[in-house]
Amino acid sequence: MAYYAQIVNDLVTDVIVINDDVVDGAEFAHNLLGGAWVETFIDIAGKNYAGIGYTYDAVNNNFIAPQPYPSWVLDSNDIWQAPVPQPPAPPETYWDEDTQTWLPFERP
């Protein structure tokens, strides 16, 4: 199976699966559904799988997730990174944008 993302103004609006026996999946999707389609990969190192709302980076042929927090920056692999590395678990932590730190989850 191959996966294709529909791109509208550099944003992913849909992701579909096309059978491997289709020679040109992007053309097939365009003929069937219209619009521009780009193949996305689940298991290729250095490539991010597309999701609805992701941005398509045509220069690097990659997909960028929406920025999770204003302080996070994009690395060279198109992955958002916190300004402070996440500590190893345990404990499980979450990012607190107000304090710019990782805080432990509090269990009830």
Side-chain angles (χ1 to χ4, degrees):
M1 300 305 237
Y3 305 89
Y4 289 84
Q6 185 175 39
I7 310 300
V8 176
N9 297 323
D10 296 328
L11 289 178
V12 176
T13 59
D14 201 0
V15 179
I16 62 172
V17 180
I18 296 178
N19 200 318
D20 285 333
D21 63 354
V22 174
V23 176
D24 185 343
E27 182 179 352
F28 176 82
H30 171 75
N31 291 339
L32 184 66
L33 302 168
W37 294 84
V38 175
E39 190 168 10
T40 183
F41 303 93
I42 291 178
D43 56 359
I44 301 290
K47 297 293 181 186
N48 303 321
Y49 183 71
I52 293 173
Y54 281 40
T55 300
Y56 177 58
D57 175 0
V59 172
N60 296 312
N61 190 28
N62 206 1
F63 297 91
I64 302 168
Q67 187 175 15
Y69 298 97
S71 65
W72 289 32
V73 296
L74 206 57
D75 69 14
S76 61
N77 293 314
D78 291 331
I79 303 291
W80 293 106
Q81 299 296 330
V84 176
Q86 185 173 16
E92 292 181 39
T93 59
Y94 68 95
W95 179 253
D96 182 71
E97 185 70 4
D98 292 335
T99 62
Q100 299 281 298
T101 58
W102 294 96
L103 299 176
F105 281 112
E106 306 226 356
R107 303 282 183 215

